[in-house]
Structures are given as C-alpha cells and as structure tokens.
C-alpha cells in the first residue's frame, strides 16, 4: 500500500487550501437568489473565468491520474488524447456549436434536444446524462479517496465519504458560481503542484534524453516516443491500436462527443456573460490543454522507469506492484520535500474536487430543469426549484459515493472513462451533428438513433472481447489480460456512432419532420427571427476574435504533432 511521508507543514498547507475552498463557496452564496444563479451563475461570468474553469473542470481524475496512467502504460501515444482527441473538438465547439447553444437560450444540452426533437428524445438523454454524470463523479471521488488513504491510511470507504463531504460543502453553498470560482483557484494550484514534480523527475533521470533512453529498456520500448508508429490497420503494434480507431474513434467520435455535448463542460460556457465570451470559453481552454501533457504524460513515463513493478500483473491478471493510477502520488512521495509535497497534494485534491464538482453541478442542473421541472413538478415558483437544486446536489454526491466503488475496480481509470464515453457521448454526438445540419431529421429519429447507438456501444463492448484483432499480436486470450482496452473503446464509440446515424436516417425517411418554423435558431441555415441582428452585436477586439483564437490553437497543435510524429 502506498503511504505518503507528510508532516505538519504539509497538513497546514492542505488546511489553508480547504479553508479557501469553503470561503469561496460562502462568498458565492451571497450572489445566489434564483435557480439560474445557483445552476447557471446568472450567465454573468467573464470569458477568462469561464475559460479557466472549462479546462479545470476537465483536470480531474480523468486528466491527472488517468493520463499519467496512460503515459506509463501507453507512452507518447497518449498525446493523441490531447492533440487529436481534444483541441480540434474544443475549437469546433467554440466556433460552430456555441452560437447554437447560447443563441437559442437553452439552459442545458438536453433542453436543446427537447426543442429540436421531442419529449421522448429529451427524457432519454436527460436520464442517460444524469447517470453518466454520477458515474464520472464517482471516478473523481475514488481518486480523492486514494490520496486521503495514502495520506492518513484510512480505509478507502471512509476516505470516499470524507472526500464527498468537502465537495458537498462548497457546491451546496455557492452553486455553479462556487464551483467555477473554485475551479479557477484549483487550476493554478494544480499547476503549482505538478511543475516541481516534472522538473525534479526529469533531472533525476538525466533530462528528456535520459528519459527516452530509460523508457527504451522497458516493456514500452523505443517506439513509445513516436505517436503514430505501429498504427497500420491489420497489424497494429501501437499501444492505442490502429489509425482508424485513433482518428475516427478517438479523434472524431469520442472527442467531439465529449467536448461538444457533455454538459459538464458546456455548462461553463453557458454561464458566460454574452455569446462572444461563451465562444471564447473553450478556445481559451484549448491553449493550456495543448501543453498539459508535460504535466501528466511525462510524470507517467518517469514513474514507469523509477517505480518498481508499476502496473505489472501476474498470469492471472492480479497486480504485483502499484497500479498505473498510483504513478503521480508515488512520484510525489519519492521526490518532493515536505512543504512542497503539501502544495502538490493540494493540487491533486484540487483536481479531483474540480472534476467531481463539474459533474455534480451539471447533474443537479439537468435533473432540476430537464427531469423534475419538465416532467415531475411543473409550474412552481423559482424558489422551489432553487431548493430542489440544492437537495439534488446532496443526492448526486450520495450516488457518487456508490459509483466510486465501481471505479475502484479498474487499474487504469482512463480505460473506464473511455468506456463510459462510448456509451453516453458517442450516440449523442451522432444525433446532434445530423440534427444541426439536416433540417429533415424527424423528432422520433432522434430518440431511436440514441437508443440504437447505446445498444451498438454495448454490443461492441461485450462482443469485442471475443474478437482476436483487439488482442496483442492478434492472438485471442481467454483470460482477456492482453486485450487492448483503449482500442476496443475507440471501436465501440465508432460502432455506436454508425448505428445511431443509420437508424436516425432510416427513421427520418419514414416519419414526419418538424415544421421549419419550429427549427429557427436550432438548425444551420434556419436563423431565429427574434435573435439580435448580427451586424448590430458589438464585435470583439481583433486579438479576441474566436476564429483567430481557434486558428492559432490548431496551428500550434499541427506544429507539435509534426515534431512528435
């Protein structure tokens, strides 16, 4: 069991951090007078705040533990999760999709589906999103519990409950504003905690060139520093599989599905003060996203060469050393002196709290607006829904405690996360992209497309374990130890997308579409006559133009991708 060598100075730093977190929640509470204040921050926040919160909400267990685990397990191929699987989709969200979301005045992503399709489609998505939100919240809660367990030695179940209490306090107090302002604080704490780890770790292995040399003598081999090596279809050797899965499964379906339809992220942009600020939110977030691999993948590789038996299993699939999820905490314990260790631990806890808060705050918004207000108790005064939002926050965290134990069954939580995304995000993206660009798409096509996509993801997930192509060397392993989980998830998302598209088109051809008058502002090429005249809307300064920000971000990614090819 991993135990961290902390002392009074480290605990003092952690105590100061938690006092700040609760204080921000208390101060944010003063601005909460309506349900929109609690659930959407009154749509009043500036772009720099929502932009940092946008990326900080993603810097949870998925990013810190998950990507470090991927770095140790898969090498530099993990860069695909950033430069192929994130930044292009973030730019697409800012430039193409935010005008639809923000301009239509919807409060949630499922509400957009209600206006574009019908109540059945809306309810299906609202329920599936709520389920996904608490499952992902459980991942972050489990990661929080791992750190507390390593700090104090409490059992995992006690650590999970204590962790839930901290997050519950500041979300219940300050709502989305409390979560977002804490996410801004947490972003800088995360960076301050991880930078020393990278610098000291690289120095200990002889710099970047020394790291490459040492990793070459591990199971990953020298090719682990080449992102596209071994991605040929039919004879893949890359840890993430072939290029079809990487480009189409990860880069298109999973990436665009997560960044453009996941309300935990979109909610941050919807809380911005105007459309321009909403568009710039994901674009501002894309710049730190480009360089975050230096704080996650590099430590994972350092841990691989310095932590004995990291991620190794016996023939029965049982761990014989620390799991890949322990890469970052193990390095912190090895390298950082007391005091600095406290800052780094505060950064870790900040990351996991931000990730959980993002999912719980989006869960309470969708449940309150899209399920409770729409189908259960309609037409009540706003104060009633504000109380419901606070109660649902508690319920969401309680459910998250339960789902944390599901996450504890995975040695690499990134594999679990991608599995969830293939079920929940891939079908939704297919439905969205067709509905936004094809006026003919009918209301019931949306519902049956989502159902078909979800079934397709499940069929591929369970059926893929019996397909030899997904196993190392193409040799089927009855114990499933050698299966490429990430590759299977990529293909699962691709199958879900295709199933959704096929069924959506087929149902559209035999059912009645919505009248054009009901699609104003919801479909490309059908403007909303009640919307402000674009020529009269104030234009941002040239340097704040969404297209310039997006183009610059993509340009940086292209240059870096060529360097690390």
């Amino acid at each position: 069991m991993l135990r961290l060598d902390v002392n009074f100075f480290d605990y003092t730093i952690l105590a100061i951090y938690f006092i700040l977190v609760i204080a921000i929640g208390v101060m944010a509470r003063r601005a909460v007078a309506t349900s929109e204040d609690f659930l959407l921050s009154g749509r009043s926040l500036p772009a720099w705040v929502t932009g940092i919160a946008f990326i900080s909400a993603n810097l949870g267990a998925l990013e810190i533990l998950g990507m470090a685990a991927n770095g140790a397990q898969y090498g530099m191929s993990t860069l695909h999760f950033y430069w192929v699987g994130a930044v292009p989709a973030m730019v697409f969200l800012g430039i193409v999709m935010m005008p639809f979301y923000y301009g239509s005045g919807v409060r949630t992503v499922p509400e957009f589906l209600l206006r574009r399709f019908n109540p059945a489609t809306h309810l299906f998505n609202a329920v599936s999103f709520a389920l996904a939100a608490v499952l992902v919240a459980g991942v972050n809660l489990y990661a929080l519990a791992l750190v507390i367990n390593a700090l104090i030695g409490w059992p995992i179940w006690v650590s999970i409950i204590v962790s839930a209490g901290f997050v519950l306090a500041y979300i219940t107090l300050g709502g989305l504003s409390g979560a977002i302002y804490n996410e801004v604080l947490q972003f800088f704490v995360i960076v301050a905690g991880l930078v020393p780890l990278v610098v000291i770790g690289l120095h200990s292995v002889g710099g970047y060139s020394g790291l490459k040399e040492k990793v070459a003598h591990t199971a990953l081999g020298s090719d682990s520093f080449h992102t596209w090596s071994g991605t040929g279809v039919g004879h893949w050797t890359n840890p993430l599989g072939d290029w079809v899965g990487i480009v189409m499964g990860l880069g298109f379906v999973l990436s665009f599905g997560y960044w453009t339809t996941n309300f935990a992220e979109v909610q941050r942009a919807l809380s911005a003060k105007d459309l321009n600020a909403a568009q710039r939110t994901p674009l501002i977030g894309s710049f730190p996203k480009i360089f975050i691999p230096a704080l996650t993948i590099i430590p994972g590789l350092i841990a691989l060469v310095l932590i004995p038996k990291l991620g190794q299993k016996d023939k029965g699939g049982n761990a014989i050393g620390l799991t890949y999820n322990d890469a970052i905490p193990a390095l912190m314990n090895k390298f950082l002196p007391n005091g600095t260790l406290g800052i780094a631990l505060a950064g870790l806890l900040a990351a996991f709290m931000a990730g959980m808060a993002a999912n719980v705050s989006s869960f309470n918004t969708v449940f309150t607006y899209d399920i409770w207000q729409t189908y259960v108790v309609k037409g009540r005064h706003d104060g009633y829904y504000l109380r419901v939002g606070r109660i649902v926050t508690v319920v969401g965290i309680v459910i998250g405690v339960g789902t944390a134990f599901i996450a504890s069954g995975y040695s690499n939580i990134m594999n679990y996360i991608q599995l969830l995304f293939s079920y929940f995000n891939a079908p939704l993206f297919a439905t969205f992209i067709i509905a936004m660009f094809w006026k003919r798409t009918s209301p019931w096509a949306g519902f049956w497309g989502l159902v078909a996509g979800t079934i397709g993801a499940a069929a591929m997930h369970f059926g893929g374990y019996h397909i030899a192509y997904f196993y190392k060397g193409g040799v089927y392993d009855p114990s499933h130890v050698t299966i490429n989980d990430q590759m299977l998830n990529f293909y699962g998302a691709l199958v879900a997308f295709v199933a959704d598209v096929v069924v959506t088109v087929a149902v559209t051809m035999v059912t009645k579409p919505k009248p054009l008058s009901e699609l104003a502002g919801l479909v490309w090429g059908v403007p909303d006559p009640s919307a402000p005249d674009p020529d009269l809307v104030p234009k941002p300064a040239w340097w704040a133009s969404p297209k310039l920000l997006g183009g610059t971000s993509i340009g940086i990614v292209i240059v870096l991708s060529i360097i690390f090819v």
Side-chain angles (χ1 to χ4, degrees), residues 233 242-257 418-431 449 452-461 469-470 485-503:
V233 176
D242 61 34
W243 68 265
V244 173
I246 294 171
V247 174
M248 299 304 297
L250 171 63
F252 180 58
V253 179
L254 283 172
S255 171
F256 280 70
Q418 294 299 327
L419 173 62
L420 295 181
F421 290 166
S422 68
Y423 272 86
F424 297 111
N425 291 20
L428 182 57
F429 174 61
T431 297
T454 305
I455 293 173
M460 190 63 191
H461 171 62
Y469 183 63
F470 295 114
D485 290 308
Q486 291 287 23
M487 184 183 181
L488 179 57
N489 291 334
F490 297 162
Y491 270 86
L494 200 53
V495 169
F497 182 88
V498 171
D500 189 306
V501 169
V502 170
V503 172

Side-chain angles (χ1 to χ4, degrees), residues 393-403:
T393 300
V394 178
V395 173
I397 288 183
V398 170
I399 297 174
V401 169
T403 61

Side-chain angles (χ1 to χ4, degrees), residues 22 24 57 74-75 89 91 103 120 135 152 166 184 188 195 217 247 253 257 284 306 333 347 355 380 422 447 520 523:
I22 300 301
I24 289 174
Y74 303 126
V91 172
L135 285 170
I152 307 173
F166 284 120
V184 173
F188 294 106
V195 167
H217 293 92
V247 174
V253 179
I284 291 171
L306 294 181
N333 196 47
R380 298 289 292 272
S422 68
F447 174 78
V523 178

Side-chain angles (χ1 to χ4, degrees), residues 369-451:
Y369 282 149
D370 292 290
I371 298 175
W372 196 263
Q373 185 182 42
T374 305
Y375 299 104
V376 182
V377 179
K378 305 176 183 179
R380 298 289 292 272
H381 58 86
D382 188 75
Y384 170 79
Y385 296 111
L386 174 58
R387 289 196 302 274
V388 170
R390 286 199 163 106
I391 294 170
V392 170
T393 300
V394 178
V395 173
I397 288 183
V398 170
I399 297 174
V401 169
T403 61
F405 290 98
I406 299 176
S408 67
Y410 288 78
S411 63
N412 184 337
I413 54 177
M414 193 63 188
N415 292 340
Y416 175 53
I417 286 284
Q418 294 299 327
L419 173 62
L420 295 181
F421 290 166
S422 68
Y423 272 86
F424 297 111
N425 291 20
L428 182 57
F429 174 61
T431 297
F432 255 86
I433 207 70
I434 294 174
M436 292 178 73
F437 293 98
W438 189 28
K439 292 177 286 189
R440 176 73 175 79
T441 311
S442 66
W444 280 106
F447 174 78
W448 289 112
L450 287 175
V451 171

Side-chain angles (χ1 to χ4, degrees), residues 147-477:
V147 176
I148 291 179
N149 171 262
L151 273 171
I152 307 173
W154 289 348
I156 287 293
W157 69 269
V158 175
S159 303
I160 286 174
I161 293 172
V162 171
S163 303
F166 284 120
V167 180
L168 175 64
Y170 77 78
I171 302 182
T172 306
L173 287 169
L176 183 61
S177 290
I180 285 181
Y181 281 113
N182 264 306
E183 284 162 3
V184 173
L185 167 67
Q186 287 159 346
F187 174 79
F188 294 106
V189 174
I190 291 164
V191 172
L194 292 178
V195 167
L197 188 67
V198 175
V199 173
I200 297 171
L202 280 176
H203 181 266
S204 71
V205 296
Y208 186 73
S209 58
L211 178 63
K212 290 179 67 175
E213 181 184 345
K214 288 179 174 59
V215 170
H217 293 92
T218 68
L220 282 180
S222 57
D223 281 347
S224 58
F225 278 78
H226 299 284
T227 55
W228 291 101
S229 175
T231 57
V233 176
H235 47 82
W236 61 269
T237 57
N238 190 285
L240 295 185
D242 61 34
W243 68 265
V244 173
I246 294 171
V247 174
M248 299 304 297
L250 171 63
F252 180 58
V253 179
L254 283 172
S255 171
F256 280 70
Y258 175 80
W259 291 103
T260 66
T261 68
N262 182 8
F263 186 57
E265 298 294 338
V266 175
Q267 185 183 31
R268 272 73 194 146
L270 288 179
S271 66
K273 62 182 181 180
D274 54 38
L275 175 57
N276 182 261
Q279 284 191 275
R280 284 185 289 143
T281 294
L283 301 176
I284 291 171
S286 70
F287 288 94
K289 187 70 175 178
I290 294 171
F291 299 104
I292 283 171
L295 303 180
T296 55
I297 298 175
I298 296 299
L301 288 169
I302 294 171
L304 178 68
V305 300
L306 294 181
I307 306 301
K309 299 180 181 179
L310 181 70
Q312 293 183 18
K313 298 180 179 180
D314 59 24
K315 293 182 179 180
N318 301 308
I320 58 177
L322 294 176
T323 69
Y324 290 118
N325 292 333
D326 292 313
I328 291 280
L331 280 187
M332 286 180 174
N333 196 47
K334 182 178 181 67
F335 287 128
L336 300 184
N338 294 112
T340 306
L341 178 59
I343 295 173
L345 287 172
L348 266 190
L349 295 173
F352 308 150
M353 290 174 68
M356 184 177 183
N359 284 282
V360 172
S361 61
S362 59
F363 167 79
N364 65 21
T365 304
V366 167
F367 188 91
T368 302
Y369 282 149
D370 292 290
I371 298 175
W372 196 263
Q373 185 182 42
T374 305
Y375 299 104
V376 182
V377 179
K378 305 176 183 179
R380 298 289 292 272
H381 58 86
D382 188 75
Y384 170 79
Y385 296 111
L386 174 58
R387 289 196 302 274
V388 170
R390 286 199 163 106
I391 294 170
V392 170
T393 300
V394 178
V395 173
I397 288 183
V398 170
I399 297 174
V401 169
T403 61
F405 290 98
I406 299 176
S408 67
Y410 288 78
S411 63
N412 184 337
I413 54 177
M414 193 63 188
N415 292 340
Y416 175 53
I417 286 284
Q418 294 299 327
L419 173 62
L420 295 181
F421 290 166
S422 68
Y423 272 86
F424 297 111
N425 291 20
L428 182 57
F429 174 61
T431 297
F432 255 86
I433 207 70
I434 294 174
M436 292 178 73
F437 293 98
W438 189 28
K439 292 177 286 189
R440 176 73 175 79
T441 311
S442 66
W444 280 106
F447 174 78
W448 289 112
L450 287 175
V451 171
T454 305
I455 293 173
M460 190 63 191
H461 171 62
F462 292 106
Y465 280 95
H466 303 285
I467 300 175
Y469 183 63
F470 295 114
Y471 289 83
K472 189 175 181 179
V475 179
Y476 175 71
D477 176 11

